[in-house]
């Protein structure tokens, strides 16, 4: 404390003080970890401070029908970040559990995930029996709520995706892997760039969370994807609907939570090597991770390398400059004891990718390299076959350090999560000087999240929280699209959940304030960006109920108010937007978007089939979009840029509404218990209150979609094969006949049907897994198609064929191999 006081006394600038405080708050847990492990007495002292006693949970896990033990079953306490695996006799043991309320998740492949709420105040034994099930993902949820809860008890629609499903799903990036979820789609610019859309809303309206921290990159742009290492993700959770109560601004459409670092069981040292090859673009990826846990000291280290060439389809052949490379590394070190846990998490994401222009030669119809520059030429076969990236291209780097802490204090919990992120996006757009950085955004963000979970009071679980961020963005490139700015965001909330025997009610209220300070910028003697300061204050809340009418039937209803503050691009843009052929002007007078959404759903989960239906209505005030400007003479307003006249657009607002539904039915007929026939349907419609340039439709609304999958699962085949599966799927996208045609923004999109298939299994030797193999093929019939949310659909027309834009990925074979590594076990 004396050292900190001396340091603070020498700092006069408040921003320097904040930076030092960030460093101290993040590094101090690391010292606690080292000190705690090296000095046992200090652990005893810390436990005494927090009144923590050593509490254990043990028991046996069996098959509900046969009574046989289920070795390898996972038992996990989500709020405590501790777990174990049942031994050969189905027995499990968890130690150093903080006193109080816990949500225990018991899961095993091929069985129903069991979620139990337990009040653990002293060591106890509890046996569990698992049943075979149609749907396996009704597990613990940690996104969008203050503490862990089961999906059945959550009033909002939530989907949890486990590592196994991600491995079985061929995908080009992590967002692409989630689009099998009804209501989730992607705005894509080739295989490497995907932005998530939930129920027709995306961009800054969806919050991405990784390791408990909202991911802060350049979300306002469509030219790069989510800075998450796909192969390191252990679990993904999707909340559909406003989650502003927990996250404040931007969680208006929903939240996607990626969980990477999950502690392994006590006394183990284990890891994995995962490789992936895809035929369409020659993608090769390899990931390795190693994790250990001894006496509560736990850690994980992972690294990924990924490289892909140009993808191809039936109409375009190989698509010029669609390749990419990724080099990612990350991990954590932490301590878990009876007083709680303290984890220090680090990650670095580094991606280089080409930017697809789609310009063609008017005579041959072939792609042009360096189009519009003095170096313009027709791309050769060598250009298309190489993995080298050409200008325009970009590099995206995202560095993150997180201090994640959870302390048990007299049956309550104090959660402290602090993070620093640095996102750097560099765009290279001058083929004559390929190393010149046309654009260079340097974004620094400090996130803070403090939560106090009060002791349970008559089945009421209440949390008080304070979270937000401080952010600064700087321009270091030759060009500027948005001004430099500073942002400070703070919000406080109260969340409560009441557990009844057959119902759960939950809700809360929140207040937020965001202040944006935009800086002046001059080009020569001309002011391009004026300085200004804006503040946005909002009150939001939610209330919902989940009724478990029977063991198999659940009803849900929820109403939530969310909001989104305008981005700096919407407030202050002044420049030509790459790839869109438009000049954009911001509007400093924009208001916050306000959403009021009602959700209702029903789930029936029988042994041999399940039905899940959810519907929503979302009323939005001041929905932000861009509209074309008119000149004084009544025609289009045009701006002269680099020798070309391009139309001018300005961000505007209009009230709107969205509504839709998602439905699924999974049939698991008896006695064919190994067979699944799953059908899912999703539909969303978005309309402005008043038509704009003759169109009432909101832009970027995905087409209705129906998928049908027939899958066979066999837990055991002979002595060497376990968990064998094979599947075939029809993925139908309907016509999108309701595009936003105003100002020539969108056109009708023709529907398509894709045929996909997969097969895989675990190869074992004497009950020990040697490796797992997953083979998948997408678009088997090599259909040439364009997704309505593909930005490449609106690239230049091929005058030789008469086709507009670039098409999506053609037939693609995927091969994944997962080799587990286990070095020791207690």
């Amino acid at each position: 404390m004396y050292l900190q006081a001396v340091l603070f006394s020498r700092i006069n600038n408040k921003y320097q003080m904040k930076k030092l405080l960030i460093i101290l708050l993040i590094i101090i847990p690391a010292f606690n970890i080292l000190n705690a492990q090296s000095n046992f007495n200090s652990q005893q002292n810390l436990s005494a401070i927090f009144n923590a006693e050593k509490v254990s949970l043990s028991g046996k896990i069996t098959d509900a029908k046969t009574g046989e033990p289920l070795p390898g079953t996972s038992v996990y306490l989500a709020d405590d970040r501790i777990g174990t695996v049942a031994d050969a006799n189905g027995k499990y043991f968890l130690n150093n559990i903080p006193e109080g309320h816990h949500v225990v998740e018991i899961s095993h492949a091929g069985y129903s995930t069991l979620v139990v709420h337990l009040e653990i105040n002293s060591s106890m034994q509890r046996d569990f029996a698992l049943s075979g099930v149609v749907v396996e993902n009704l597990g613990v949820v940690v996104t969008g709520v203050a503490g862990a809860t089961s999906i059945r008890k959550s009033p909002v629609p939530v989907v949890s995706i486990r590592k196994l499903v991600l491995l079985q799903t061929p995908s080009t990036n992590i967002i692409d892997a989630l689009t099998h979820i009804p209501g989730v789609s992607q705005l894509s610019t080739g295989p490497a760039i995907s932005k998530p859309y939930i129920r027709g809303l995306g961009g800054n309206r969806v919050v991405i969370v990784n390791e408990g921290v909202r991911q802060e990159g350049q979300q306002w742009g469509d030219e790069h994807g989510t800075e998450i290492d796909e192969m390191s993700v252990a679990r993904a959770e999707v909340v559909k609907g406003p989650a502003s109560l927990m996250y404040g601004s931007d969680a208006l459409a929903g939240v996607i939570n990626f969980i990477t670092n999950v502690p392994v069981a006590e006394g183990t040292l284990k890891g994995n090597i995962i490789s992936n090859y895809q035929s369409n673009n020659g993608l090769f990826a390899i990931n390795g991770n190693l994790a250990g846990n001894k006496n509560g000291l736990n850690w994980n280290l992972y690294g990924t390398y990924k490289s892909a060439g140009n993808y191809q389809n039936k109409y375009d052949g190989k698509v010029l400059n669609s390749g990419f490379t990724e080099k990612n590394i990350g991990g954590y070190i932490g301590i878990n004891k009876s007083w709680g846990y303290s984890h220090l998490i680090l990650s670095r994401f580094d991606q280089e990718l080409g930017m697809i222009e789609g310009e063609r030669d008017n005579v041959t119809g072939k792609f042009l390299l360096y189009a519009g520059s003095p170096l313009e030429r027709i791309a050769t076969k060598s250009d298309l076959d190489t993995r080298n990236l050409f200008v325009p291209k970009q590099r995206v780097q995202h560095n993150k350090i997180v201090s994640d802490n959870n302390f048990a204090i007299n049956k309550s919990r104090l959660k402290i999560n602090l993070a620093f992120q640095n996102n750097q996006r560099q765009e290279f757009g001058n083929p004559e000087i390929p190393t010149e950085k046309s654009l260079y955004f340097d974004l620094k963000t400090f996130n803070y999240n403090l939560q106090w979970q009060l002791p349970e009071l008559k089945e009421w679980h209440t949390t008080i929280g304070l979270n937000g961020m401080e952010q600064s963005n700087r321009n270091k490139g030759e060009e500027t699209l948005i001004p430099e700015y500073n942002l400070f965001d703070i919000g406080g909330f109260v969340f409560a959940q009441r557990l009844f025997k057959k119902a759960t009610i939950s809700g809360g209220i929140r207040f937020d304030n965001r202040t944006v300070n935009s800086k002046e910028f001059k080009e020569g003697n001309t002011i391009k960006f004026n300085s200004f300061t804006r503040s946005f204050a909002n009150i939001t809340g939610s209330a919902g109920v989940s009724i478990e009418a029977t063991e198999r039937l659940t009803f849900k209803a929820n109403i939530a108010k969310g909001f989104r503050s305008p981005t700096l691009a919407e407030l202050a843009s002044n420049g030509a937007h790459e790839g869109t052929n438009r000049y954009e002007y911001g509007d400093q007078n924009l208001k916050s978007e306000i959403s009021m959404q009602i959700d209702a759903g029903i789930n029936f989960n029988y042994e041999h089939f399940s039905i899940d239906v959810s519907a929503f209505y979302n009323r939005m005030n001041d929905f932000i979009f861009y509209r074309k400007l008119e000149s004084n003479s009544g025609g289009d307003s045009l701006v002269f840029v680099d020798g070309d006249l391009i139309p001018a657009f300005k961000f505007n607002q209009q009230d709107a509404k969205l509504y839709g539904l998602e439905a699924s039915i999974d049939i698991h007929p008896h006695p064919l218990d190994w067979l699944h026939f799953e059908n899912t349907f999703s539909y969303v419609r978005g309309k402005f209150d008043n038509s704009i340039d003759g169109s009432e439709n909101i832009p970027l609304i995905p087409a209705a979609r129906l998928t049908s999958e027939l899958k066979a699962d066999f837990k055991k085949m002979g002595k060497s094969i376990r968990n064998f599966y094979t599947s075939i799927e029809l993925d139908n996208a309907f016509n999108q006949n309701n595009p936003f045609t105003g100002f020539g923004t969108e056109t009708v999109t023709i529907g398509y049907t894709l045929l996909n298939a997969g097969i895989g299994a675990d190869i074992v030797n004497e009950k020990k897994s040697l490796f797992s193999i997953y083979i998948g093929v997408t678009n088997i019939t090599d259909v040439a198609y364009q997704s309505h949310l593909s930005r490449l659909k609106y690239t230049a027309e091929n005058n030789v064929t008469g086709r507009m834009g670039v098409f999506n990925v053609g037939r693609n074979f995927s091969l994944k191999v997962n080799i587990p590594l286990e070095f020791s076990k207690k």
Side-chain angles (χ1 to χ4, degrees), residues 285-573:
I286 187 164
N287 167 272
N289 88 285
L290 186 64
N293 191 341
K294 185 175 183 181
N295 297 327
L297 178 65
N298 49 88
W299 55 273
N300 180 42
L301 180 66
Y302 66 85
T304 297
Y305 176 79
K306 185 186 293 187
S307 173
N310 295 317
Y311 83 88
Q312 55 190 316
N313 60 61
K314 183 166 63 176
Y315 285 166
D316 300 307
K318 289 193 173 182
V319 177
L320 181 67
N321 213 27
S322 58
F324 62 94
T325 61
E326 282 184 25
K327 293 171 285 187
N328 310 318
I329 190 170
Y332 85 101
I333 183 170
I335 189 78
N336 288 63
K337 292 293 182 180
S338 56
W339 48 262
Y341 67 81
S342 182
H343 293 170
L344 186 65
I345 306 167
L346 299 99
S347 64
R348 176 178 175 82
F349 176 93
D350 191 348
Q351 182 187 61
E352 296 182 75
L353 62 159
M355 300 178 69
I356 304 167
E357 293 186 302
E359 297 287 345
R360 324 283 183 125
D361 178 64
N362 289 329
V363 177
T364 65
K366 294 182 178 181
F367 285 107
L368 290 175
L369 186 62
Y370 309 132
S373 78
L375 301 180
E376 179 183 301
R377 62 178 174 83
I378 296 175
T380 65
K381 185 178 184 301
S382 176
D383 295 329
L384 295 170
D385 291 341
T386 186
R387 290 177 182 251
N388 294 333
L389 303 178
F390 301 102
V391 173
K393 61 181 181 179
Q394 62 176 315
R395 183 179 186 184
V396 179
Q397 297 169 290
H398 195 94
N399 301 310
K400 181 163 56 180
I401 180 169
V402 181
S403 174
D404 187 20
N405 308 276
N406 190 326
F407 303 109
I409 309 172
N410 292 328
K411 298 183 182 180
S412 68
R413 295 176 185 271
L414 177 62
K415 296 183 179 182
I416 304 175
N417 187 292
L418 305 168
F420 176 75
Q421 304 177 67
N422 184 204
N423 182 279
Q424 296 179 317
R425 179 187 165 222
Q426 304 170 47
E427 185 176 309
F428 305 87
N430 186 350
E432 297 181 86
I433 312 177
T435 59
E436 179 182 275
K437 298 167 185 174
S438 302
L439 295 173
Y440 186 174
F441 301 102
D442 187 3
L443 179 67
K444 294 180 172 66
T445 306
F446 168 54
N447 303 87
Y448 61 93
N449 185 7
L450 310 176
Q451 293 186 17
W452 183 21
Q453 291 184 355
L454 303 178
E456 179 185 337
L457 180 63
K458 296 182 179 180
E459 295 295 324
W460 280 98
H461 302 269
T462 304
T463 300
I464 301 172
L466 183 75
N467 54 24
M469 62 182 174
E470 183 183 53
Q471 189 174 82
S472 66
N473 200 21
R474 299 293 179 260
N475 293 314
K476 298 182 178 180
E478 297 294 320
E479 304 173 10
T480 55
L481 291 180
I482 63 172
E484 297 184 343
Y485 68 89
N486 293 325
L487 178 151
F488 183 74
D489 183 279
I490 187 169
F493 68 89
V494 176
F495 174 83
Q497 183 182 60
R498 173 67 160 87
L499 303 177
F500 296 92
K501 187 176 181 180
K502 288 192 174 183
T504 302
I505 60 173
S506 60
I509 191 168
R510 178 186 179 101
F511 174 77
D512 279 274
N513 185 269
R514 171 173 289 187
T515 300
V516 179
N517 180 15
S518 181
K519 299 181 178 297
E520 181 182 273
F521 176 75
K522 291 183 178 181
E523 278 188 345
N525 295 322
T526 304
I527 296 178
K528 184 172 183 178
F529 300 110
N530 291 308
S531 64
F532 66 90
T533 299
R534 287 289 310 275
S535 291
F536 303 92
N538 289 276
I539 297 176
T540 54
S542 69
V545 60
S546 176
I547 301 173
E548 299 173 59
T550 68
E551 184 181 350
R552 303 186 183 279
L553 182 63
T554 305
F555 297 96
K556 297 185 178 186
N558 191 73
I559 182 169
K561 180 184 179 184
F563 81 100
R564 181 182 74 92
S565 300
T567 68
L568 256 292
E570 293 163 341
L571 290 169
S573 283

Side-chain angles (χ1 to χ4, degrees), residues 7 125 141 158 169 181 275 393 402 529 602 686-687 758 785:
L7 287 171
Q125 286 189 330
V141 181
V158 183
T169 305
I181 300 172
S275 61
K393 61 181 181 179
V402 181
F529 300 110
I602 181 173
K687 300 172 68 175
Y785 72 99

Side-chain angles (χ1 to χ4, degrees), residues 572-741:
S573 283
N574 187 359
H577 202 59
E578 178 67 31
T580 60
N581 194 36
R582 65 176 183 260
Y583 195 99
E584 291 184 358
Y585 291 102
D587 184 350
Q588 296 178 17
N589 297 314
L590 293 177
K591 305 174 184 177
S592 292
E593 291 182 338
I594 303 296
S595 166
M596 184 65 74
Q597 180 164 313
I598 299 173
D599 285 277
I602 181 173
N603 173 264
F604 183 74
N605 190 22
Y606 184 62
E607 183 179 3
H608 300 298
F609 69 91
S610 69
I611 299 173
D612 193 9
V613 180
S614 60
F616 71 95
Y617 179 86
N618 187 359
R619 178 64 187 174
M620 293 191 63
N621 294 329
D622 298 313
F623 179 87
I624 299 175
F625 64 101
Y626 56 83
R627 65 178 303 157
K628 187 179 290 186
L629 293 179
E630 295 181 351
S631 66
N632 292 331
S633 60
D636 292 342
S637 177
L638 302 175
V639 182
F640 190 76
V641 179
D642 296 331
D644 295 320
L645 288 172
I646 61 176
F649 286 76
K650 186 173 183 177
F651 285 98
N652 209 326
Q653 295 185 295
Q654 168 76 270
D655 292 345
K657 56 183 174 289
L658 295 96
Y659 52 89
L661 63 88
E662 296 102 35
S664 66
I665 178 170
D666 191 337
I667 302 172
H668 189 191
H670 182 74
L672 305 179
D673 296 331
W674 46 268
L675 184 65
H676 289 260
F677 182 46
E678 183 176 4
N679 299 270
T680 64
F681 176 76
S682 57
Y683 169 81
V684 61
R685 182 82 164 91
K687 300 172 68 175
F688 289 112
D689 283 7
N690 301 299
S691 63
I692 299 168
D693 195 35
S695 178
E696 64 175 4
N697 303 311
I698 292 176
L700 298 174
I701 297 296
R705 185 181 181 192
L706 172 67
T707 63
S708 300
E709 181 189 55
L710 189 65
K711 185 176 183 180
D713 282 301
F714 299 92
K715 296 178 184 177
K716 184 177 180 181
M717 294 183 67
K719 295 182 178 180
S720 302
I721 299 177
R722 299 287 186 274
N723 301 317
F724 174 86
Y725 75 91
T726 182
S727 65
I728 187 166
E729 177 192 67
L730 280 178
D731 186 352
N732 303 278
F734 294 84
N735 293 340
Q736 178 49 285
N737 294 319
N738 298 303
F740 177 56
T741 57

Side-chain angles (χ1 to χ4, degrees), residues 254-271:
V255 178
I256 300 177
N257 183 28
F258 295 109
I259 301 166
T260 300
N261 297 291
V262 178
V264 297
E266 170 68 37
T268 62
L269 177 63
K270 61 197 306 183

